[in-house]
Amino acid sequence: MKNAFVKNILCIGAGYVGGPTMAMIAYKCPQYKVTVVDINHERIAQWNSDLLPVYEPGLGEIVGAVRGRNLFFDTDIDRCIKEASIIFVAVNTPTKVFGAGAGMAADLQYWEKTARQIREAAGSPKIVIEKCTIPVKTALAMERILTSKEGSVSFDVISNPEFLAEGTAMRDLEFPDRVLIGSRETAQGIRARREIADIYANWVPKERIIESNIWSSELSKLVANAFLAQRISSINAVSALCEKTDADVQEVARAIGLDSRLGSKFLNASVGFGGSCFKKDILNLVYLCRSYGLNEVADYWESVVKINEYQKDRFVLTMLSAMFNTLAGKKIALFGFAFKADTGDTRETPALYVAKSIVEERAELVITDPQALRNAMADLDGVDNITYEIDPYKAAAGCDAIALMTEWKLYTGLDYERIYASMMKPAFIFDGRNVLDRKRLFEIGFNVFSIGKTPMVHV
Ligand code: NAD
Ligand code: UGA
């Protein structure tokens, strides 16, 4: 029987982007059949199970509502390519670790393999959408690969970058600030991008769906991440100055954030930004600028990453100097390991740098996190002197210090009197997110160190 769906949409790559974005499209558009494929069969099996491979508030409910109705997770990539008319590509584009551009450029091997596979399996015209974050001008390479076969069918390459943030992915997908769709400015290109706009128009207000030329769209994604990360590095740079001058970084952030030209978001000073994308996308931008001979522009953006490294280092050095210049033999609890709250993702988490530095100082480490312990164990595989404990009270017991790495709500509501009573004295707390009530902690007896604030130390 021929299926009754009006469109067959495919997404190649079932990760943090592919899974949630397609779940939202399927949820909002019951008239479309949406399939997600991946070379990682275990990941597909997890998407088909009750234990999804991605922790994201609200995701389980939406997948539960549409899986088997119009959302499918599959491993037969060739067949699914053949059957689809619209193909999103959401494979990973990590920083290259080998050869030219190692440590800076985007590694496009997964993306390129996908393009070749689409070309071989297509059989009929397709709209191919860059959902993953790629260097500007990648669409040109994609078009060349797709059309390099004699007698090949026609392909339209569209750029539709994803702006969701982890932890709020479902909200970001349901109520996006904007959806950006770029194409070639030809009649065919514009027709193809309208077709993609029609998908989003099922739930996104029309004025929030914006269209542009394809290069602007590709570049906007890198620039959006660079601007967001730049704000964090700016406020983190200020936090270092606050610590020297008795200014309070949260008071400064509030004062400047009320200027409507600046806005109040993304001004939380922290132990540093993490996540799979900010660093990789900025380095990618830096590499692009250098490859066009724009060295001053490249240096400017590279400084955003340098300040982030400096901030993580400063955090560890503050711990060291506060605790009498030695951590050897001490026991330290890390509260949180995920790169931000409400996700189990630990990619580029500042907690990894802090954990490794603490162990290098020969301290014993206990890591607690409500969602990220599985990833933490994998990240720190082979590193000795670390235990993992889901219960923060047990994690802190017998410790000399707590370092709060992730702003999980759970950590603000704990009974810190009970925790203090169970710790070694003097007890230290290093709040890498400025979320704890520092006055209260100081009254309890802790020596309190926050980001960008004068330390509160019992003499
Ligand atoms: P991810 O690593 O979680 O998922 C990528 C998936 O692609 C993996 O499961 C991998 O097995 C699969 N894959 C790789 N090559 C494949 C191939 N040839 N065929 C089929 N599957 C293949 O990555 P992610 O976090 O979802 O990010 C994907 C892209 O989206 C990246 O470019 C990233 O920069 C961008 N992005 C990510 C986020 C985020 O919050 N994670 C947000 C916006 C944009
Ligand atoms: C970020 C962007 O916000 C998304 O728009 C983008 O789609 C995504 O990258 C991507 O391309 O992957 P994400 O990394 O998931 O999303 O999360 P953010 O909320 O941006 O946080 C990134 C890091 O910055 C986290 O470690 C967070 O704790 C930190 N941060 C954020 C701060 O230290 N201070 C702040 O004020 C805000």
Side-chain angles (χ1 to χ4, degrees), residues 20-51:
T21 46
M22 293 304 121
M24 186 56 73
I25 291 179
Y27 182 67
K28 296 290 184 183
C29 314
Q31 70 276 30
Y32 304 154
K33 178 180 177 188
V34 182
T35 308
V36 189
V37 290
D38 204 293
I39 37 168
N40 182 339
H41 291 197
E42 194 188 324
R43 220 168 199 190
I44 292 296
Q46 287 171 337
W47 279 111
N48 279 321
S49 76
D50 289 336
L51 194 64

PDB file of all heavy atoms in Angstrom, residues 20-51:
ATOM      1  N   PRO A  20      16.326  15.476  18.092  1.00  0.00           N
ATOM      2  CA  PRO A  20      15.319  16.449  18.553  1.00  0.00           C
ATOM      3  C   PRO A  20      14.659  17.260  17.429  1.00  0.00           C
ATOM      4  O   PRO A  20      13.443  17.471  17.459  1.00  0.00           O
ATOM      5  CB  PRO A  20      16.122  17.368  19.486  1.00  0.00           C
ATOM      6  CG  PRO A  20      17.233  16.495  19.994  1.00  0.00           C
ATOM      7  CD  PRO A  20      17.600  15.611  18.842  1.00  0.00           C
ATOM      8  N   THR A  21      15.432  17.695  16.419  1.00  0.00           N
ATOM      9  CA  THR A  21      14.795  18.538  15.374  1.00  0.00           C
ATOM     10  C   THR A  21      13.763  17.719  14.596  1.00  0.00           C
ATOM     11  O   THR A  21      12.664  18.201  14.300  1.00  0.00           O
ATOM     12  CB  THR A  21      15.808  19.119  14.353  1.00  0.00           C
ATOM     13  OG1 THR A  21      16.684  18.105  13.948  1.00  0.00           O
ATOM     14  CG2 THR A  21      16.609  20.259  14.882  1.00  0.00           C
ATOM     15  N   MET A  22      14.115  16.503  14.289  1.00  0.00           N
ATOM     16  CA  MET A  22      13.168  15.686  13.509  1.00  0.00           C
ATOM     17  C   MET A  22      11.968  15.292  14.353  1.00  0.00           C
ATOM     18  O   MET A  22      10.839  15.200  13.851  1.00  0.00           O
ATOM     19  CB  MET A  22      13.872  14.448  12.941  1.00  0.00           C
ATOM     20  CG  MET A  22      14.907  14.787  11.905  1.00  0.00           C
ATOM     21  SD  MET A  22      14.241  15.767  10.514  1.00  0.00           S
ATOM     22  CE  MET A  22      15.267  17.228  10.603  1.00  0.00           C
ATOM     23  N   ALA A  23      12.198  15.070  15.657  1.00  0.00           N
ATOM     24  CA  ALA A  23      11.057  14.759  16.531  1.00  0.00           C
ATOM     25  C   ALA A  23      10.079  15.932  16.512  1.00  0.00           C
ATOM     26  O   ALA A  23       8.857  15.738  16.440  1.00  0.00           O
ATOM     27  CB  ALA A  23      11.548  14.482  17.951  1.00  0.00           C
ATOM     28  N   MET A  24      10.616  17.168  16.525  1.00  0.00           N
ATOM     29  CA  MET A  24       9.727  18.348  16.532  1.00  0.00           C
ATOM     30  C   MET A  24       8.985  18.465  15.191  1.00  0.00           C
ATOM     31  O   MET A  24       7.781  18.746  15.167  1.00  0.00           O
ATOM     32  CB  MET A  24      10.544  19.615  16.831  1.00  0.00           C
ATOM     33  CG  MET A  24       9.708  20.857  17.011  1.00  0.00           C
ATOM     34  SD  MET A  24       8.427  20.716  18.299  1.00  0.00           S
ATOM     35  CE  MET A  24       9.399  20.772  19.797  1.00  0.00           C
ATOM     36  N   ILE A  25       9.696  18.244  14.084  1.00  0.00           N
ATOM     37  CA  ILE A  25       9.018  18.329  12.776  1.00  0.00           C
ATOM     38  C   ILE A  25       7.900  17.280  12.704  1.00  0.00           C
ATOM     39  O   ILE A  25       6.771  17.573  12.300  1.00  0.00           O
ATOM     40  CB  ILE A  25      10.031  18.161  11.613  1.00  0.00           C
ATOM     41  CG1 ILE A  25      10.956  19.390  11.539  1.00  0.00           C
ATOM     42  CG2 ILE A  25       9.304  17.971  10.269  1.00  0.00           C
ATOM     43  CD1 ILE A  25      12.014  19.337  10.446  1.00  0.00           C
ATOM     44  N   ALA A  26       8.211  16.071  13.148  1.00  0.00           N
ATOM     45  CA  ALA A  26       7.194  15.005  13.092  1.00  0.00           C
ATOM     46  C   ALA A  26       5.998  15.351  13.971  1.00  0.00           C
ATOM     47  O   ALA A  26       4.840  15.138  13.599  1.00  0.00           O
ATOM     48  CB  ALA A  26       7.818  13.675  13.526  1.00  0.00           C
ATOM     49  N   TYR A  27       6.292  15.919  15.132  1.00  0.00           N
ATOM     50  CA  TYR A  27       5.238  16.259  16.097  1.00  0.00           C
ATOM     51  C   TYR A  27       4.306  17.342  15.538  1.00  0.00           C
ATOM     52  O   TYR A  27       3.087  17.270  15.669  1.00  0.00           O
ATOM     53  CB  TYR A  27       5.928  16.749  17.368  1.00  0.00           C
ATOM     54  CG  TYR A  27       5.017  17.099  18.509  1.00  0.00           C
ATOM     55  CD1 TYR A  27       4.265  16.113  19.157  1.00  0.00           C
ATOM     56  CD2 TYR A  27       4.939  18.409  18.977  1.00  0.00           C
ATOM     57  CE1 TYR A  27       3.443  16.442  20.218  1.00  0.00           C
ATOM     58  CE2 TYR A  27       4.119  18.738  20.039  1.00  0.00           C
ATOM     59  CZ  TYR A  27       3.372  17.755  20.653  1.00  0.00           C
ATOM     60  OH  TYR A  27       2.562  18.078  21.705  1.00  0.00           O
ATOM     61  N   LYS A  28       4.925  18.345  14.901  1.00  0.00           N
ATOM     62  CA  LYS A  28       4.142  19.477  14.394  1.00  0.00           C
ATOM     63  C   LYS A  28       3.520  19.201  13.024  1.00  0.00           C
ATOM     64  O   LYS A  28       2.628  19.927  12.596  1.00  0.00           O
ATOM     65  CB  LYS A  28       5.038  20.726  14.293  1.00  0.00           C
ATOM     66  CG  LYS A  28       5.550  21.216  15.637  1.00  0.00           C
ATOM     67  CD  LYS A  28       4.419  21.811  16.462  1.00  0.00           C
ATOM     68  CE  LYS A  28       4.920  22.384  17.770  1.00  0.00           C
ATOM     69  NZ  LYS A  28       3.812  22.896  18.593  1.00  0.00           N
ATOM     70  N   CYS A  29       4.028  18.196  12.320  1.00  0.00           N
ATOM     71  CA  CYS A  29       3.559  17.962  10.952  1.00  0.00           C
ATOM     72  C   CYS A  29       3.182  16.492  10.758  1.00  0.00           C
ATOM     73  O   CYS A  29       3.945  15.718  10.154  1.00  0.00           O
ATOM     74  CB  CYS A  29       4.649  18.318   9.939  1.00  0.00           C
ATOM     75  SG  CYS A  29       5.469  19.873  10.235  1.00  0.00           S
ATOM     76  N   PRO A  30       2.017  16.090  11.269  1.00  0.00           N
ATOM     77  CA  PRO A  30       1.649  14.682  11.151  1.00  0.00           C
ATOM     78  C   PRO A  30       1.488  14.230   9.706  1.00  0.00           C
ATOM     79  O   PRO A  30       1.494  13.029   9.419  1.00  0.00           O
ATOM     80  CB  PRO A  30       0.309  14.606  11.903  1.00  0.00           C
ATOM     81  CG  PRO A  30      -0.149  16.011  12.067  1.00  0.00           C
ATOM     82  CD  PRO A  30       1.048  16.897  12.003  1.00  0.00           C
ATOM     83  N   GLN A  31       1.383  15.203   8.777  1.00  0.00           N
ATOM     84  CA  GLN A  31       1.200  14.844   7.361  1.00  0.00           C
ATOM     85  C   GLN A  31       2.501  14.397   6.701  1.00  0.00           C
ATOM     86  O   GLN A  31       2.503  13.912   5.582  1.00  0.00           O
ATOM     87  CB  GLN A  31       0.570  16.020   6.588  1.00  0.00           C
ATOM     88  CG  GLN A  31       1.447  17.244   6.377  1.00  0.00           C
ATOM     89  CD  GLN A  31       1.463  18.230   7.562  1.00  0.00           C
ATOM     90  OE1 GLN A  31       1.299  17.830   8.708  1.00  0.00           O
ATOM     91  NE2 GLN A  31       1.677  19.503   7.280  1.00  0.00           N
ATOM     92  N   TYR A  32       3.648  14.589   7.383  1.00  0.00           N
ATOM     93  CA  TYR A  32       4.931  14.177   6.805  1.00  0.00           C
ATOM     94  C   TYR A  32       5.430  12.914   7.487  1.00  0.00           C
ATOM     95  O   TYR A  32       5.278  12.751   8.694  1.00  0.00           O
ATOM     96  CB  TYR A  32       6.026  15.236   7.017  1.00  0.00           C
ATOM     97  CG  TYR A  32       5.716  16.626   6.503  1.00  0.00           C
ATOM     98  CD1 TYR A  32       6.322  17.732   7.087  1.00  0.00           C
ATOM     99  CD2 TYR A  32       4.844  16.833   5.436  1.00  0.00           C
ATOM    100  CE1 TYR A  32       6.064  19.021   6.636  1.00  0.00           C
ATOM    101  CE2 TYR A  32       4.583  18.120   4.982  1.00  0.00           C
ATOM    102  CZ  TYR A  32       5.189  19.209   5.588  1.00  0.00           C
ATOM    103  OH  TYR A  32       4.934  20.483   5.151  1.00  0.00           O
ATOM    104  N   LYS A  33       6.097  12.093   6.708  1.00  0.00           N
ATOM    105  CA  LYS A  33       6.806  10.952   7.301  1.00  0.00           C
ATOM    106  C   LYS A  33       8.257  11.397   7.516  1.00  0.00           C
ATOM    107  O   LYS A  33       8.914  11.856   6.570  1.00  0.00           O
ATOM    108  CB  LYS A  33       6.755   9.749   6.357  1.00  0.00           C
ATOM    109  CG  LYS A  33       7.515   8.552   6.916  1.00  0.00           C
ATOM    110  CD  LYS A  33       7.461   7.361   5.961  1.00  0.00           C
ATOM    111  CE  LYS A  33       8.295   6.222   6.507  1.00  0.00           C
ATOM    112  NZ  LYS A  33       8.430   5.134   5.550  1.00  0.00           N
ATOM    113  N   VAL A  34       8.733  11.274   8.734  1.00  0.00           N
ATOM    114  CA  VAL A  34      10.086  11.741   9.064  1.00  0.00           C
ATOM    115  C   VAL A  34      10.912  10.537   9.523  1.00  0.00           C
ATOM    116  O   VAL A  34      10.514   9.820  10.447  1.00  0.00           O
ATOM    117  CB  VAL A  34      10.035  12.803  10.187  1.00  0.00           C
ATOM    118  CG1 VAL A  34      11.441  13.307  10.491  1.00  0.00           C
ATOM    119  CG2 VAL A  34       9.112  13.954   9.803  1.00  0.00           C
ATOM    120  N   THR A  35      12.043  10.340   8.876  1.00  0.00           N
ATOM    121  CA  THR A  35      12.900   9.204   9.240  1.00  0.00           C
ATOM    122  C   THR A  35      14.292   9.736   9.591  1.00  0.00           C
ATOM    123  O   THR A  35      14.780  10.668   8.953  1.00  0.00           O
ATOM    124  CB  THR A  35      13.023   8.214   8.059  1.00  0.00           C
ATOM    125  OG1 THR A  35      11.703   7.885   7.621  1.00  0.00           O
ATOM    126  CG2 THR A  35      13.747   6.945   8.471  1.00  0.00           C
ATOM    127  N   VAL A  36      14.893   9.151  10.607  1.00  0.00           N
ATOM    128  CA  VAL A  36      16.234   9.553  11.006  1.00  0.00           C
ATOM    129  C   VAL A  36      17.132   8.321  10.902  1.00  0.00           C
ATOM    130  O   VAL A  36      16.783   7.250  11.414  1.00  0.00           O
ATOM    131  CB  VAL A  36      16.252  10.087  12.456  1.00  0.00           C
ATOM    132  CG1 VAL A  36      17.609  10.699  12.778  1.00  0.00           C
ATOM    133  CG2 VAL A  36      15.145  11.114  12.671  1.00  0.00           C
ATOM    134  N   VAL A  37      18.260   8.479  10.215  1.00  0.00           N
ATOM    135  CA  VAL A  37      19.183   7.345  10.066  1.00  0.00           C
ATOM    136  C   VAL A  37      20.556   7.714  10.613  1.00  0.00           C
ATOM    137  O   VAL A  37      20.886   8.892  10.761  1.00  0.00           O
ATOM    138  CB  VAL A  37      19.344   6.932   8.581  1.00  0.00           C
ATOM    139  CG1 VAL A  37      18.087   6.309   8.049  1.00  0.00           C
ATOM    140  CG2 VAL A  37      19.787   8.108   7.718  1.00  0.00           C
ATOM    141  N   ASP A  38      21.347   6.689  10.882  1.00  0.00           N
ATOM    142  CA  ASP A  38      22.694   6.925  11.403  1.00  0.00           C
ATOM    143  C   ASP A  38      23.542   5.693  11.093  1.00  0.00           C
ATOM    144  O   ASP A  38      23.017   4.574  11.022  1.00  0.00           O
ATOM    145  CB  ASP A  38      22.619   7.142  12.924  1.00  0.00           C
ATOM    146  CG  ASP A  38      23.799   7.935  13.451  1.00  0.00           C
ATOM    147  OD1 ASP A  38      24.941   7.428  13.405  1.00  0.00           O
ATOM    148  OD2 ASP A  38      23.591   9.078  13.892  1.00  0.00           O
ATOM    149  N   ILE A  39      24.858   5.932  10.928  1.00  0.00           N
ATOM    150  CA  ILE A  39      25.738   4.774  10.745  1.00  0.00           C
ATOM    151  C   ILE A  39      25.932   4.043  12.068  1.00  0.00           C
ATOM    152  O   ILE A  39      26.340   2.890  12.099  1.00  0.00           O
ATOM    153  CB  ILE A  39      27.151   5.154  10.203  1.00  0.00           C
ATOM    154  CG1 ILE A  39      27.617   6.478  10.814  1.00  0.00           C
ATOM    155  CG2 ILE A  39      27.204   5.158   8.696  1.00  0.00           C
ATOM    156  CD1 ILE A  39      29.070   6.771  10.568  1.00  0.00           C
ATOM    157  N   ASN A  40      25.643   4.731  13.155  1.00  0.00           N
ATOM    158  CA  ASN A  40      25.805   4.137  14.474  1.00  0.00           C
ATOM    159  C   ASN A  40      24.510   3.385  14.835  1.00  0.00           C
ATOM    160  O   ASN A  40      23.531   3.975  15.267  1.00  0.00           O
ATOM    161  CB  ASN A  40      26.104   5.268  15.473  1.00  0.00           C
ATOM    162  CG  ASN A  40      26.345   4.750  16.872  1.00  0.00           C
ATOM    163  OD1 ASN A  40      25.940   3.641  17.211  1.00  0.00           O
ATOM    164  ND2 ASN A  40      26.988   5.566  17.684  1.00  0.00           N
ATOM    165  N   HIS A  41      24.555   2.070  14.641  1.00  0.00           N
ATOM    166  CA  HIS A  41      23.339   1.263  14.825  1.00  0.00           C
ATOM    167  C   HIS A  41      22.883   1.240  16.278  1.00  0.00           C
ATOM    168  O   HIS A  41      21.697   1.156  16.571  1.00  0.00           O
ATOM    169  CB  HIS A  41      23.562  -0.161  14.310  1.00  0.00           C
ATOM    170  CG  HIS A  41      23.688  -0.213  12.813  1.00  0.00           C
ATOM    171  ND1 HIS A  41      23.546  -1.362  12.083  1.00  0.00           N
ATOM    172  CD2 HIS A  41      23.942   0.758  11.896  1.00  0.00           C
ATOM    173  CE1 HIS A  41      23.701  -1.097  10.787  1.00  0.00           C
ATOM    174  NE2 HIS A  41      23.955   0.192  10.666  1.00  0.00           N
ATOM    175  N   GLU A  42      23.866   1.329  17.190  1.00  0.00           N
ATOM    176  CA  GLU A  42      23.509   1.309  18.609  1.00  0.00           C
ATOM    177  C   GLU A  42      22.686   2.559  18.948  1.00  0.00           C
ATOM    178  O   GLU A  42      21.719   2.511  19.708  1.00  0.00           O
ATOM    179  CB  GLU A  42      24.796   1.275  19.431  1.00  0.00           C
ATOM    180  CG  GLU A  42      24.574   0.928  20.878  1.00  0.00           C
ATOM    181  CD  GLU A  42      25.857   1.098  21.683  1.00  0.00           C
ATOM    182  OE1 GLU A  42      26.945   0.814  21.138  1.00  0.00           O
ATOM    183  OE2 GLU A  42      25.741   1.543  22.837  1.00  0.00           O
ATOM    184  N   ARG A  43      23.089   3.686  18.354  1.00  0.00           N
ATOM    185  CA  ARG A  43      22.359   4.936  18.599  1.00  0.00           C
ATOM    186  C   ARG A  43      20.909   4.822  18.096  1.00  0.00           C
ATOM    187  O   ARG A  43      19.973   5.265  18.755  1.00  0.00           O
ATOM    188  CB  ARG A  43      23.073   6.091  17.902  1.00  0.00           C
ATOM    189  CG  ARG A  43      23.074   7.328  18.746  1.00  0.00           C
ATOM    190  CD  ARG A  43      23.981   8.403  18.272  1.00  0.00           C
ATOM    191  NE  ARG A  43      24.211   9.301  19.394  1.00  0.00           N
ATOM    192  CZ  ARG A  43      24.814  10.474  19.288  1.00  0.00           C
ATOM    193  NH1 ARG A  43      25.279  10.875  18.139  1.00  0.00           N
ATOM    194  NH2 ARG A  43      24.974  11.235  20.339  1.00  0.00           N
ATOM    195  N   ILE A  44      20.766   4.227  16.933  1.00  0.00           N
ATOM    196  CA  ILE A  44      19.412   4.055  16.389  1.00  0.00           C
ATOM    197  C   ILE A  44      18.593   3.150  17.309  1.00  0.00           C
ATOM    198  O   ILE A  44      17.417   3.432  17.594  1.00  0.00           O
ATOM    199  CB  ILE A  44      19.479   3.496  14.942  1.00  0.00           C
ATOM    200  CG1 ILE A  44      20.071   4.551  14.003  1.00  0.00           C
ATOM    201  CG2 ILE A  44      18.112   3.036  14.449  1.00  0.00           C
ATOM    202  CD1 ILE A  44      19.251   5.828  13.847  1.00  0.00           C
ATOM    203  N   ALA A  45      19.241   2.088  17.810  1.00  0.00           N
ATOM    204  CA  ALA A  45      18.524   1.191  18.726  1.00  0.00           C
ATOM    205  C   ALA A  45      18.091   1.958  19.975  1.00  0.00           C
ATOM    206  O   ALA A  45      16.975   1.770  20.482  1.00  0.00           O
ATOM    207  CB  ALA A  45      19.418   0.010  19.103  1.00  0.00           C
ATOM    208  N   GLN A  46      18.950   2.861  20.459  1.00  0.00           N
ATOM    209  CA  GLN A  46      18.572   3.653  21.641  1.00  0.00           C
ATOM    210  C   GLN A  46      17.399   4.582  21.332  1.00  0.00           C
ATOM    211  O   GLN A  46      16.492   4.748  22.147  1.00  0.00           O
ATOM    212  CB  GLN A  46      19.760   4.479  22.131  1.00  0.00           C
ATOM    213  CG  GLN A  46      20.826   3.636  22.815  1.00  0.00           C
ATOM    214  CD  GLN A  46      22.094   4.428  23.106  1.00  0.00           C
ATOM    215  OE1 GLN A  46      22.387   5.438  22.465  1.00  0.00           O
ATOM    216  NE2 GLN A  46      22.858   3.960  24.068  1.00  0.00           N
ATOM    217  N   TRP A  47      17.410   5.182  20.143  1.00  0.00           N
ATOM    218  CA  TRP A  47      16.277   6.045  19.770  1.00  0.00           C
ATOM    219  C   TRP A  47      14.980   5.239  19.692  1.00  0.00           C
ATOM    220  O   TRP A  47      13.898   5.780  19.881  1.00  0.00           O
ATOM    221  CB  TRP A  47      16.530   6.739  18.418  1.00  0.00           C
ATOM    222  CG  TRP A  47      17.403   7.947  18.504  1.00  0.00           C
ATOM    223  CD1 TRP A  47      18.671   8.086  18.023  1.00  0.00           C
ATOM    224  CD2 TRP A  47      17.087   9.212  19.107  1.00  0.00           C
ATOM    225  NE1 TRP A  47      19.166   9.338  18.285  1.00  0.00           N
ATOM    226  CE2 TRP A  47      18.206  10.052  18.952  1.00  0.00           C
ATOM    227  CE3 TRP A  47      15.966   9.711  19.768  1.00  0.00           C
ATOM    228  CZ2 TRP A  47      18.243  11.369  19.422  1.00  0.00           C
ATOM    229  CZ3 TRP A  47      16.001  11.025  20.245  1.00  0.00           C
ATOM    230  CH2 TRP A  47      17.127  11.832  20.067  1.00  0.00           C
ATOM    231  N   ASN A  48      15.115   3.950  19.410  1.00  0.00           N
ATOM    232  CA  ASN A  48      13.925   3.096  19.331  1.00  0.00           C
ATOM    233  C   ASN A  48      13.566   2.480  20.674  1.00  0.00           C
ATOM    234  O   ASN A  48      12.650   1.672  20.753  1.00  0.00           O
ATOM    235  CB  ASN A  48      14.137   1.998  18.282  1.00  0.00           C
ATOM    236  CG  ASN A  48      13.886   2.534  16.871  1.00  0.00           C
ATOM    237  OD1 ASN A  48      12.961   3.319  16.649  1.00  0.00           O
ATOM    238  ND2 ASN A  48      14.729   2.151  15.920  1.00  0.00           N
ATOM    239  N   SER A  49      14.324   2.849  21.728  1.00  0.00           N
ATOM    240  CA  SER A  49      14.076   2.255  23.047  1.00  0.00           C
ATOM    241  C   SER A  49      13.501   3.308  23.998  1.00  0.00           C
ATOM    242  O   SER A  49      13.266   4.451  23.612  1.00  0.00           O
ATOM    243  CB  SER A  49      15.390   1.731  23.622  1.00  0.00           C
ATOM    244  OG  SER A  49      16.163   2.824  24.102  1.00  0.00           O
ATOM    245  N   ASP A  50      13.335   2.904  25.257  1.00  0.00           N
ATOM    246  CA  ASP A  50      12.839   3.872  26.253  1.00  0.00           C
ATOM    247  C   ASP A  50      13.961   4.747  26.783  1.00  0.00           C
ATOM    248  O   ASP A  50      13.723   5.783  27.398  1.00  0.00           O
ATOM    249  CB  ASP A  50      12.183   3.121  27.425  1.00  0.00           C
ATOM    250  CG  ASP A  50      10.865   2.513  26.986  1.00  0.00           C
ATOM    251  OD1 ASP A  50      10.285   3.041  26.007  1.00  0.00           O
ATOM    252  OD2 ASP A  50      10.449   1.497  27.587  1.00  0.00           O
ATOM    253  N   LEU A  51      15.205   4.310  26.578  1.00  0.00           N
ATOM    254  CA  LEU A  51      16.344   5.080  27.077  1.00  0.00           C
ATOM    255  C   LEU A  51      16.991   5.808  25.895  1.00  0.00           C
ATOM    256  O   LEU A  51      17.892   5.285  25.232  1.00  0.00           O
ATOM    257  CB  LEU A  51      17.352   4.142  27.765  1.00  0.00           C
ATOM    258  CG  LEU A  51      18.415   4.837  28.614  1.00  0.00           C
ATOM    259  CD1 LEU A  51      17.781   5.563  29.794  1.00  0.00           C
ATOM    260  CD2 LEU A  51      19.453   3.827  29.092  1.00  0.00           C
TER     261      LEU A  51
END
